[in-house]
Amino acid sequence: MAGAEGSAGRQSELEPVVSLVDVLEEDEELENEACAVLGGSDSEKCSYSQGSVKRQALYACSTCTPEGEEPAGICLACSYECHGSHKLFELYTKRNFRCDCGNSKFKTLECKLLPDKAKVNSGNKYNDNFFGLYCICKRPYPDPEDEIPDEMIQCVVCEDWFHGRHLGAIPPESGDFQEMVCQACMKRCSFLWAYAAQLAVTKISTEDDGLVRNIDGIGDQEVIKAENGEHQDSTLKEDVPEQGKDDVQEVKAEQNSEPCASSSSESDLQTVFKNESLNAESKSGCRLQELKAKQFIKKDTATYWPLNWRSKLCTCQDCMKMYGDLDVLFLTDEYDTVLAYENKGKIAQATDRSDPLMDTLSSMNRVQQVELICEYNDLKTELKDYLKRFADEGTRLSSG
């Protein structure tokens, strides 16, 4: 018996102790993540009546539109009501999309929420994601045949998802960048390379023989050496406004006197200077033309961008026309970002979330409010004393 008790004691020591607070905090965290992913999408009403929604949670139904059929996307409410038992691909979010549920792409299914729909939504855009395939490797995610742990990152332009190892450049730490533009989209929107020289977040690099080589070994970048033989970032030197040169020299002096704690602080400093340059008015009135006059390099890689980088894009008449021709006008829309979409979901959650106790109190008169609060406090004290007995005795409440 003693041996059994000893064994049970050792087993209990190995079991992780999880408090009720831990459970509630984890539940709240999962709820917050879910609300961010859904972005405030309506779970009861089909979004079709809203037209092309700027951003919403989307799904593709493999049961109704398998590979080989025309691709189609459905809204959150239709995924519950019309496709509840079907095999679905979660697409996260796509821009400017209108729900396809029940239209001509669904041969036998009629939308239960809004059956009166056009045959097709000509404004919708589709890719292999609608058949559960992602990246240039055209593989599913998760991939049962891929044993390499890798993060999937969505391109902000084409909205496809890519393995980090298939982007031509090792991604920075996830907290160091906000958005990514894939290789193909950088090639199509080559004007972004002029901005990338100033804004893009890069991996730590090693210097040798006047070249900056990325750690992943992709692409060599030449930098100008100063006369004293030290490496000098010519772009940074040219970009600093005249009135800010003294400040730059002062900061550089501080850098030389104190060792840098991390590579990110140096990167942040350069970003500040470069942003000052981008905010300065150019003689031509076109920020892009000013940047193109400087030396920059194009590579066959993806690029990674910091928070609010889109606000640095030129919005002159010529550039806006170029964005329209390239079908990337959305880059100038601050509400197009996934971050804005997720924040919308969090705000909607905070608005909908209510405290039952406060709701009850607000419906009572003063006397009833005092009585309820007293009873609540008494219950809280009794529950605390009850649970304290278990803590004093060193025992646990059993879950079943």
Side-chain angles (χ1 to χ4, degrees), residues 91-274:
L91 303 177
Y92 188 28
T93 176
K94 303 285 185 186
R95 67 171 59 89
N96 301 328
F97 199 94
R98 195 172 195 181
C99 180
D100 285 322
C101 181
N103 68 13
S104 61
K105 297 186 176 186
F106 296 80
K107 296 179 179 178
T108 58
L109 181 136
E110 183 178 86
C111 181
K112 299 176 183 178
L113 297 175
L114 200 60
D116 186 18
K117 294 179 179 176
K119 290 185 177 181
V120 293
N121 294 313
S122 57
N124 287 354
K125 294 182 179 179
Y126 307 90
N127 58 19
D128 288 328
N129 296 175
F130 289 81
F131 297 116
L133 301 176
Y134 308 90
C135 191
I136 57 174
C137 60
K138 304 300 179 186
R139 296 293 301 170
Y141 184 83
D143 188 349
E145 298 179 9
D146 186 3
E147 298 179 355
I148 303 175
D150 200 353
E151 182 182 17
M152 296 290 284
I153 307 172
Q154 188 180 34
C155 173
V156 71
V157 178
C158 67
E159 297 192 295
D160 195 359
W161 291 81
F162 297 84
H163 294 100
R165 64 184 186 272
H166 292 160
L167 287 169
I170 299 175
E173 294 297 322
S174 58
D176 293 342
F177 71 98
Q178 188 64 43
E179 294 183 312
M180 180 273 290
V181 179
C182 72
Q183 292 164 278
C185 289
M186 284 301 297
K187 192 172 293 185
R188 185 173 72 85
C189 304
S190 59
F191 73 91
L192 286 174
W193 283 112
Y195 290 100
Q198 306 293 314
L199 293 173
V201 179
T202 56
K203 268 303 255 191
I204 301 171
S205 53
T206 56
E207 296 187 18
D208 181 43
D209 297 331
L211 293 176
V212 174
R213 292 188 175 89
N214 292 332
I215 285 178
D216 58 6
I218 299 174
D220 290 341
Q221 178 178 336
E222 185 176 358
V223 292
I224 296 175
K225 283 187 176 181
E227 292 182 1
N228 59 7
E230 295 180 356
H231 290 294
Q232 180 177 354
D233 189 334
S234 62
T235 306
L236 179 59
K237 177 182 177 183
E238 292 174 7
D239 286 349
V240 178
E242 190 69 32
Q243 63 270 24
K245 285 185 178 179
D246 293 337
D247 296 336
V248 175
Q249 292 173 357
E250 181 179 344
V251 173
K252 283 185 175 179
E254 291 178 2
Q255 280 186 308
N256 291 334
S257 62
E258 291 186 21
C260 184
S262 67
S263 60
S264 61
S265 59
E266 181 179 349
S267 174
D268 292 343
L269 177 63
Q270 291 187 8
T271 300
V272 169
F273 293 148
K274 290 173 181 178

Side-chain angles (χ1 to χ4, degrees), residues 12 387-397:
S12 65
L387 294 175
K388 189 174 183 296
R389 292 208 317 267
F390 287 92
D392 293 340
E393 296 170 3
T395 57
R396 294 199 191 104
L397 289 171

Side-chain angles (χ1 to χ4, degrees), residues 357 369-387:
L357 177 61
Q369 288 177 351
V370 172
E371 289 177 349
L372 179 60
I373 291 173
C374 289
E375 290 177 5
Y376 172 77
N377 287 331
D378 290 341
L379 177 62
K380 185 169 68 172
T381 302
E382 290 176 8
L383 180 60
K384 182 179 178 181
D385 293 340
Y386 174 73
L387 294 175

Side-chain angles (χ1 to χ4, degrees), residues 231-378:
H231 290 294
Q232 180 177 354
D233 189 334
S234 62
T235 306
L236 179 59
K237 177 182 177 183
E238 292 174 7
D239 286 349
V240 178
E242 190 69 32
Q243 63 270 24
K245 285 185 178 179
D246 293 337
D247 296 336
V248 175
Q249 292 173 357
E250 181 179 344
V251 173
K252 283 185 175 179
E254 291 178 2
Q255 280 186 308
N256 291 334
S257 62
E258 291 186 21
C260 184
S262 67
S263 60
S264 61
S265 59
E266 181 179 349
S267 174
D268 292 343
L269 177 63
Q270 291 187 8
T271 300
V272 169
F273 293 148
K274 290 173 181 178
N275 285 351
E276 288 179 2
S277 168
L278 288 169
N279 286 328
E281 290 293 329
S282 64
K283 294 179 181 179
S284 65
C286 177
R287 198 173 295 166
L288 177 60
Q289 291 304 319
E290 181 184 2
L291 293 176
K292 281 185 173 181
K294 304 179 187 298
Q295 183 178 358
F296 63 92
I297 297 173
K298 297 181 182 179
K299 297 183 180 180
D300 187 21
T301 67
T303 51
Y304 306 91
W305 303 82
L307 182 68
N308 296 328
W309 71 275
R310 299 192 194 195
S311 65
K312 309 301 180 185
L313 297 178
C314 181
T315 54
C316 74
Q317 186 175 353
D318 290 341
C319 283
M320 292 299 285
K321 182 180 183 302
M322 176 185 66
Y323 302 151
D325 293 340
L326 292 170
D327 197 20
V328 292
L329 272 171
F330 53 80
L331 288 178
T332 62
D333 182 1
E334 62 179 314
Y335 296 106
D336 172 78
T337 65
V338 171
L339 180 62
Y341 167 79
E342 291 181 343
N343 287 339
K344 179 183 175 183
K346 292 175 183 177
I347 293 171
Q349 177 200 29
T351 303
D352 294 340
R353 181 181 287 172
S354 59
D355 187 332
L357 177 61
M358 295 306 296
D359 289 345
T360 303
L361 284 172
S362 63
S363 64
M364 294 179 171
N365 59 40
R366 178 68 178 169
V367 175
Q368 291 173 321
Q369 288 177 351
V370 172
E371 289 177 349
L372 179 60
I373 291 173
C374 289
E375 290 177 5
Y376 172 77
N377 287 331
D378 290 341

